Amino acid sequence: KMGKVEDERIIFPEYDSGEVSRMFSALEYSKLEQDGGIRAEHSTGSVASAAALVAGTMVGAGILALPTATASVGFLPSTVAMIVAWVYMTMSGLLIAELSINRLGLSGKPVDGLLELYEGNLGPKWSKVGTVAYFFLHYTLLVAYITQGGINLDGFLGTAGLSQLSDASGIGQVLFASACGLSLYSASPALIEKANKTFLIILAACFVGIIGLGAGTADFSSLVDLSNQHPEQVAGAFPIIFLSLGFQTVVPTVVKQLEGDRGKITKAIIAVTSLPTLMYVAW
């Protein structure tokens, strides 16, 4: 028979006042040089860092694919479709966050990723289906990014006078994948986080500049002319729209970074997913 744990041992005043909303404290351990001891420091989760992770995941290949997918649909129907997709994708992200928080409460440790959620919530049969879909989606995304990254690198090598390298079949893709893989493998999580923020700022600045240049030559009357709107074709654009607004794979990481704080997690997901959606509409 198990004994009863007294309330004063597990209940703290902070819980009643709401001052502590996180489910656990993320600790970072470092070795002291003086005596070789171990020091533990609280790594406070940042909403800005989590938001940058979500935004960086959403803004990607959709920049290239969306104009082609929505050109025949028209601006107004495609904008409505993107709003519908944003609502759906944001709701799914919040539900995944809720599952991650619940899993954290049951297991006592943060969720490592979607595959762990599959195993814990879908059962043996459906978790395998989810795993196959997960790997298929990310394999196709990796192929797309490595292919285009290699093409861009080939162009750079040719411009730099290294045409002998750029002319070799597939060398750009090999170099691009190797450079990205080695960088991610050797860099610390803190460095990756800073690099993600930096690249996101650069991307936003470039995007604003491009939109500013394009707005000067845009024919806005034709853009909203009813004769150019074809809502009957919007179904064909939905797969690209949903893919462009995807960010769910990083939700367990966001939950871990923000220590299971539901309020911060909700802010990071809802506030940030709206910004890339507006960027895509403007684009």
Side-chain angles (χ1 to χ4, degrees):
K1 182 178 179 180
M2 296 182 64
K4 182 179 181 300
V5 179
E6 296 82 0
D7 287 344
E8 58 268 17
R9 295 183 60 188
I10 59 174
I11 297 178
F12 299 91
E14 298 94 317
Y15 293 164
D16 296 329
S17 64
E19 293 179 7
V20 178
S21 55
R22 62 181 184 269
M23 292 188 65
F24 70 100
S25 294
L27 300 178
E28 291 185 353
Y29 297 94
S30 58
K31 193 172 183 180
L32 298 175
E33 296 181 358
Q34 295 84 352
D35 56 4
I38 302 297
R39 178 178 59 188
E41 293 182 340
H42 178 213
S43 177
T44 305
S46 168
V47 176
S49 297
L53 179 61
V54 173
T57 305
M58 288 186 69
V59 180
I63 289 289
L64 302 176
L66 272 177
T68 303
T70 59
S72 61
V73 180
F75 177 70
L76 298 179
S78 61
T79 299
V80 173
M82 274 190 268
I83 294 174
V84 171
W86 170 76
V87 171
Y88 176 83
M89 298 297 272
T90 301
M91 289 175 59
S92 67
L94 292 173
L95 289 172
I96 292 173
E98 190 69 21
L99 283 175
S100 300
I101 293 172
N102 292 340
R103 187 71 178 172
L104 172 60
L106 290 173
S107 64
K109 67 181 185 69
V111 176
D112 290 329
L114 283 182
L115 297 183
E116 185 176 337
L117 288 179
Y118 293 163
E119 295 174 359
N121 294 277
L122 298 180
K125 179 181 177 181
W126 289 107
S127 66
K128 290 183 174 62
V129 175
T131 300
V132 171
Y134 178 92
F135 278 107
F136 176 77
L137 171 63
H138 288 83
Y139 176 77
T140 55
L141 288 175
L142 276 175
V143 169
Y145 280 118
I146 291 175
T147 300
Q148 186 60 47
I151 293 173
N152 294 341
L153 186 57
D154 283 337
F156 173 77
L157 292 175
T159 305
L162 300 175
S163 56
Q164 66 276 15
L165 287 177
S166 62
D167 292 339
S169 177
I171 189 66
Q173 284 76 14
V174 172
L175 292 175
F176 178 80
S178 299
C180 291
L182 290 173
S183 299
L184 291 172
Y185 178 78
S186 58
S188 65
L191 180 59
I192 294 175
E193 185 176 305
K194 291 179 181 178
N196 182 58
K197 289 181 181 178
T198 302
F199 287 131
L200 196 61
I201 293 173
I202 295 173
L203 173 65
C206 294
F207 184 84
V208 170
I210 293 173
I211 292 296
L213 292 173
T217 59
D219 185 352
F220 290 101
S221 59
S222 296
L223 194 69
V224 297
D225 192 326
L226 294 180
S227 63
N228 295 326
Q229 316 306 319
H230 304 283
E232 69 278 1
Q233 300 182 26
V234 74
F238 263 123
I240 298 297
I241 293 174
F242 278 115
L243 183 62
S244 300
L245 300 180
F247 66 94
Q248 287 77 0
T249 54
V250 301
V251 170
T253 303
V254 169
V255 173
K256 183 177 180 180
Q257 285 184 350
L258 299 180
E259 303 171 314
D261 188 321
R262 184 179 280 105
K264 290 183 178 180
I265 294 166
T266 303
K267 290 178 183 177
I269 292 177
I270 294 180
V272 178
T273 54
S274 61
L275 293 178
T277 305
L278 292 175
M279 287 176 63
Y280 283 138
V281 171
W283 179 247

